[in-house]
Amino acid sequence: MKEKPLKLKILDWVTILLFLLATAMVFFYAPMERVMGAVQKVFYFHVAAGWVGMLSFFFAAVAGIIYLVKKDEKWDLIGYSAIEIGIVFTLINVVTGAIWARPIWNAWWTWDPRLTTATIMELVYFAYLMLRQGIDDPERRQRFGAVYAIVGFLSVPLTFFSIRIFRTIHPVVIGGNDPTAVGAFDMTPLMLQTLLFSILVFSVLFIDLMWHRIRLGQYMNRVDELKMRLQD
Amino acid sequence: MEPLNTINYFIAGFAVIFGAIGIYIASLVIRWRNLRNEEEILSEVDNETS
């Protein structure tokens, strides 16, 4: 496999530096929230991780559509990579949400519409991985994977809008809060800057990880081809 | 009013964030290394048979 491209090496270092800067902003620049205390700082990366999760699943759905049109396996690899990364970041989002909820809601978990839809979304994409494992024929696996990524994407807007449609205790960051929301707070300009910067940095991290994951997938295909050649 | 003392949850939250990202990056590195080893072995076999 070819050496890591220079552009990817530069992106790695830029991502590391931006991530350190975002962490420093969360720890030292954003002010301490007056009621919730330190745990509120988890919110910046919690939202950013949720954003990356949804962005990944959106990319996977788009890649699925392009795959079905072009039948080019490159798009299958892009979709698969995006879903793998999306699962990791959605898991971070759900778990950090539970950690925040414990002192604020006095419960690790409640069957609130947002928590429920986010968990369903995560499980939908876990099922995607299992579906792929269960199909041996590569062409069939790619076609089913593409269709699943498109249909599975329905869970994303459902999760995003759940706190805007249903009665919920989950705070709404953009737009008005439900009166029953618990743990909501008004963001100061410093908090907003930190949140937007965190979302930007996580987006860069997503691009970096996608690049690495796609290269890994290409390498896997190459080794598989070598195996097939030796078996013949 | 004093803020709630939630420092333990703050630490737990960031441990999850850094831990999960770190584990995923480690999984990419490990999978890459395993593939490289596999490729080396397969290339040796290929050279011996040809």
Side-chain angles (χ1 to χ4, degrees):
Chain A
M1 192 69 186
K2 279 190 285 184
E3 272 283 299
K4 195 198 280 189
L6 179 64
K7 282 180 187 171
L8 182 55
K9 285 180 187 169
I10 293 169
L11 182 62
D12 285 347
W13 282 107
V14 169
T15 307
I16 291 167
L17 291 174
L18 285 175
F19 195 82
L20 290 174
L21 189 58
T23 305
M25 274 183 86
V26 170
F27 286 10
F28 309 114
Y29 181 72
M32 183 82 80
E33 207 275 336
R34 266 190 274 177
V35 180
M36 292 185 269
V39 76
Q40 183 273 336
K41 286 177 181 278
V42 170
F43 149 86
Y44 304 104
F45 285 3
H46 165 77
V47 174
W51 156 254
V52 169
M54 290 185 182
L55 184 70
S56 306
F57 299 145
F58 173 72
F59 266 77
V62 172
I65 292 168
I66 298 173
Y67 173 80
L68 291 177
V69 173
K70 293 190 171 179
K71 300 284 181 213
D72 182 347
E73 65 180 35
K74 174 179 79 182
W75 292 101
D76 173 67
L77 177 57
I78 291 171
Y80 185 29
S81 304
I83 287 179
E84 192 181 281
I85 294 166
I87 286 172
V88 173
F89 281 89
T90 304
L91 190 66
I92 290 173
N93 176 259
V94 172
V95 176
T96 53
I99 290 168
W100 171 85
R102 180 65 185 89
I104 307 305
W105 292 349
N106 207 25
W108 294 102
W109 185 261
T110 169
W111 290 105
D112 176 80
R114 167 51 73 85
L115 278 66
T116 307
T117 50
T119 307
I120 290 170
M121 181 175 75
E122 179 80 337
L123 293 175
V124 161
Y125 286 100
F126 261 125
Y128 168 91
L129 298 184
M130 286 189 271
L131 175 83
R132 288 188 71 102
Q133 294 291 323
I135 303 173
D136 289 331
D137 176 31
E139 200 273 329
R140 203 157 161 252
R141 182 172 59 228
Q142 290 162 6
R143 199 173 64 245
F144 276 44
V147 172
Y148 193 103
I150 296 163
V151 176
F153 184 71
L154 289 174
S155 63
V156 175
L158 184 70
T159 303
F160 183 79
F161 289 111
S162 60
I163 48 175
R164 291 161 179 85
I165 298 170
F166 303 112
R167 193 177 171 82
T168 175
I169 61 167
H170 190 287
V172 181
V173 178
I174 300 158
N177 271 303
D178 190 304
T180 54
V182 179
F185 59 96
D186 291 322
M187 268 196 285
T188 66
L190 295 187
M191 286 175 169
L192 185 61
Q193 287 163 17
T194 307
L195 175 65
L196 294 177
F197 188 70
S198 300
I199 290 171
L200 173 77
V201 170
F202 270 61
S203 302
V204 175
L205 177 62
F206 166 68
I207 295 166
D208 190 47
L209 290 175
M210 271 295 282
W211 195 338
H212 280 284
R213 183 59 187 82
I214 290 167
R215 286 187 82 234
L216 182 72
Q218 288 168 337
Y219 199 7
M220 280 175 186
N221 291 342
R222 207 182 114 150
V223 172
D224 281 345
E225 277 170 22
L226 190 56
K227 265 188 219 166
M228 297 287 279
R229 194 154 56 84
L230 286 171
Q231 280 171 359
D232 291 340
Chain B
M1 193 178 87
E2 280 290 302
L4 290 172
N5 182 5
T6 53
I7 193 78
N8 291 344
Y9 297 99
F10 164 84
I11 293 166
F14 280 95
V16 167
I17 293 163
F18 298 143
I21 294 172
I23 288 168
Y24 184 65
I25 292 170
S27 91
L28 290 175
V29 172
I30 291 165
R31 284 185 281 176
W32 185 274
R33 280 187 189 162
N34 290 344
L35 279 172
R36 202 173 49 198
N37 292 340
E38 205 174 343
E39 189 190 30
E40 279 171 13
I41 293 165
L42 289 169
S43 298
E44 277 176 30
V45 173
D46 192 24
N47 290 337
E48 283 170 15
T49 51
S50 58

